[in-house]
Amino acid sequence: MRVLIAIAALLFGVSTIAEDNEFDEFDSELESSFDDEVVEHNEEKDTAIYGSVVFEAHYNYQPDNATKNLSSAKSLIDLIGEHKLDGGSKIKANLKAYHDFIYSSGLGNYTKTPSGYKDELNLNELYLEGSISDKIDYRVGRQIVVWGKADMLRINDILNPLDIRIPGMVDIRNLRLGKNMSKLDYYHGNFNLSLIAIHEKRFSKLPSQYSDFRPLLADKEIEKPSSNIKNTGLALGLIGTFKSYDVALYVADTYIDKPYLTNGKLHYDTKSKMFGAAYSKALDNYLFKAEGAYFDKVKYTGVIDPKPQTDLMLGVEYNGINEGSIMYEAAYRSIKNYDQDIYSASNQYKKKNELQQSVSFNKSYQNQTVNFSALATIIGQSTHEGGSARVQVDYVVNDNVKVSGGVIDYIGGSNPALEDIKNNDRIFVKVAYNF
């Protein structure tokens, strides 16, 4: 039933295309981010500071949820600073911070505060970039590097971890966490060759004990490799950009962002060689996308030998809607030499072959004042394993203020890991001030 509701929401948005010709410009990466939307700043200045302040509240409405009530009342700041140096180089920093009043106000039903949920200060990016010559650029420091063509799913996009403590609430592009890297880019004709040294061992932020998505299971001690020269990862990307299509090849030898449990600790010491490719082709109002990646070693809890894994993705985006777009992506992941012990709670009940599908619709109305977006993601070849669906409406009050609201439905199914979180459905409201 929930899947039908999600599909109906998408179809409702599509059905309005013929009824209204005043729409907003579509962002191909789904909803405009509260964190990313900033007021244009004066590029003539050597130093610029801009960003946003957001208040966000969540209400868990499912009666079977033990914490039914307000689950978040958070104030956030996303601050970006840029300073131009002599010679054309630039320093850029992105500082993110928040405080969630829900854990100290008594408004929620939480008996204990999950680790890292009450407040946080995150220097997400801090790097120096510039040019060595007219064909060579460099960037050094904590930064975000995006690989691949997919917008909703991750295949080659492996260089940065994610903050996934509340799954499905925000698009991938707003979840990435910066990592200390050194990057050299060489440009020749239509090609860009990137050589990257990955210094920092930073991994995704997962739900903690006492949170909605991990209410009982105790947090585990984490063991990760040191960020030293010996453990530096290497990555190489070759990207060709042409008139109607792009093509890319990727190679990496680095620690993968997937832990395994042994002796009561979560270990992030699996170093895997990755080979990937991506392709996109624009044809009339369509954008076709394809990706593939091979990992020679992925370690699973309870299994002695690491397993090779192959991930594939096909996608299409239709931009023939006036100020709107529809996007579909499907990823197929296959574990070679599969062991039945992989299908366990510690491994999120991974199957030998897994299909993940995502569909989105975005459209704007009233002279770019009202923006509607819907996104549904389903796991499993039979689409019965579970997933999530999100619908959101943004109202632009003026150049500085935006008010948003929506609902996210966590869809249970045959996958026990997804079934366990199905009662975390929530209504959310955000007010953002951009400066």
Side-chain angles (χ1 to χ4, degrees):
M1 178 62 70
R2 292 177 175 177
V3 178
L4 293 176
I5 293 173
I7 294 173
L10 291 171
L11 292 177
F12 167 76
V14 175
S15 68
T16 62
I17 295 171
E19 300 173 1
D20 191 341
N21 289 323
E22 294 183 352
F23 311 97
D24 183 62
E25 182 171 329
F26 174 66
D27 181 340
S28 65
E29 296 188 37
L30 306 181
E31 66 182 25
S32 296
S33 161
F34 294 96
D35 296 329
D36 284 356
E37 274 202 16
V38 296
V39 181
E40 292 289 332
H41 58 282
N42 189 352
E43 296 182 355
E44 297 298 323
K45 296 181 179 179
D46 290 337
T47 302
I49 298 176
Y50 53 101
S52 62
V53 177
V54 180
F55 179 79
E56 178 178 337
H58 300 178
Y59 181 82
N60 292 8
Y61 61 85
Q62 282 289 353
D64 294 332
N65 191 317
T67 58
K68 178 181 180 294
N69 207 326
L70 280 176
S71 56
S72 183
K74 185 184 295 184
S75 60
L76 311 93
I77 184 167
D78 188 349
L79 198 61
I80 299 171
E82 297 181 359
H83 179 70
K84 295 179 182 179
L85 303 172
D86 293 339
S89 298
K90 181 174 70 175
I91 298 174
K92 183 175 181 179
N94 176 210
L95 180 68
K96 297 186 178 185
Y98 73 76
H99 179 79
D100 200 331
F101 297 94
I102 202 70
Y103 299 108
S104 57
S105 64
L107 294 174
N109 292 330
Y110 297 97
T111 57
K112 295 184 179 181
T113 302
S115 177
Y117 278 56
K118 184 177 179 180
D119 45 45
E120 184 176 73
L121 183 64
N122 172 27
L123 184 58
N124 203 44
E125 292 182 89
L126 177 60
Y127 59 80
L128 170 68
E129 66 178 357
S131 299
I132 299 174
S133 69
D134 59 347
K135 289 191 174 183
I136 301 177
D137 293 341
Y138 69 89
R139 182 187 289 180
V140 179
R142 180 171 274 190
Q143 57 187 285
I144 292 173
V145 180
V146 181
W147 276 3
K149 303 299 179 183
D151 293 292
M152 299 179 287
L153 307 175
R154 300 186 92 197
I155 304 296
N156 289 292
D157 185 25
I158 66 166
L159 298 183
N160 292 92
L162 303 178
D163 184 347
I164 49 177
R165 288 175 289 184
I166 305 179
M169 275 292 300
V170 185
D171 298 336
I172 288 177
R173 66 193 178 104
N174 301 315
L175 299 175
R176 293 186 181 98
L177 302 173
K179 188 184 285 189
N180 284 324
M181 295 183 270
S182 299
K183 183 170 177 275
L184 278 177
D185 285 294
Y186 173 74
Y187 300 92
H188 181 75
N190 295 322
F191 291 93
N192 166 211
L193 178 65
S194 296
L195 178 62
I196 305 168
I198 307 166
H199 310 297
E200 186 178 7
K201 305 302 171 285
R202 193 183 192 192
F203 300 98
S204 290
K205 295 180 180 180
L206 305 175
S208 297
Q209 186 182 14
Y210 310 120
S211 69
D212 290 342
F213 297 91
R214 191 187 175 105
L216 300 175
L217 193 61
D219 293 334
K220 305 296 182 183
E221 184 180 346
I222 292 176
E223 287 278 342
K224 62 181 182 179
S226 301
S227 297
N228 54 33
I229 295 177
K230 179 182 177 182
N231 292 330
T232 298
L234 297 175
L236 185 70
L238 178 63
I239 301 171
T241 303
F242 303 93
K243 185 176 181 180
S244 62
Y245 68 95
D246 296 338
V247 63
L249 299 174
Y250 308 109
V251 179
D253 184 8
T254 188
Y255 293 95
I256 60 174
D257 189 20
K258 183 201 170 302
Y260 64 93
L261 183 65
T262 183
N263 298 323
K265 296 181 180 180
L266 280 177
H267 293 260
Y268 284 89
D269 59 0
T270 304
K271 199 170 189 180
S272 181
K273 293 181 175 62
M274 172 265 194
F275 306 90
Y279 175 81
S280 64
K281 168 72 173 178
L283 184 63
D284 295 329
N285 292 319
Y286 293 90
L287 177 65
F288 298 95
K289 300 175 282 186
E291 289 192 48
Y294 172 80
F295 302 86
D296 73 334
K297 283 191 288 187
V298 179
K299 179 69 174 173
Y300 292 92
T301 300
V303 179
I304 297 175
D305 297 325
K307 306 298 181 184
Q309 179 173 315
T310 301
D311 297 348
L312 302 173
M313 187 281 301
L314 291 175
V316 60
E317 181 178 349
Y318 176 67
N319 293 295
I321 305 166
N322 187 12
E323 308 290 359
S325 179
I326 302 172
M327 188 178 350
Y328 171 81
E329 293 176 357
Y332 182 78
R333 310 179 196 273
S334 180
I335 302 171
K336 190 176 181 181
N337 303 325
Y338 185 80
D339 190 311
Q340 290 301 323
D341 289 336
I342 294 176
Y343 190 79
S344 66
S346 298
N347 295 313
Q348 299 293 302
Y349 298 96
K350 280 282 186 182
K351 294 183 176 181
K352 175 180 173 59
N353 301 310
E354 179 183 272
L355 179 65
Q356 181 180 7
Q357 301 178 79
S358 291
V359 59
S360 71
F361 172 78
N362 262 29
K363 184 169 168 53
S364 296
Y365 308 87
Q366 301 299 318
N367 295 322
Q368 304 182 359
T369 301
V370 179
N371 308 308
F372 173 84
S373 64
L375 168 67
T377 298
I378 299 296
I379 307 294
Q381 297 185 40
S382 63
T383 70
H384 292 157
E385 291 191 31
S388 65
R390 185 185 76 221
V391 176
Q392 180 170 327
V393 177
D394 304 330
Y395 175 67
V396 180
V397 179
N398 54 43
D399 290 342
N400 299 97
V401 179
K402 182 174 72 172
V403 179
S404 304
V407 60
I408 183 167
D409 180 10
Y410 295 99
I411 304 166
S414 60
N415 185 313
L418 299 175
E419 178 70 12
D420 287 345
I421 66 172
K422 69 177 182 180
N423 290 322
N424 287 313
D425 303 345
R426 61 193 60 205
I427 300 168
F428 58 91
V429 177
K430 301 180 184 181
V431 179
Y433 175 78
N434 303 304
F435 56 89

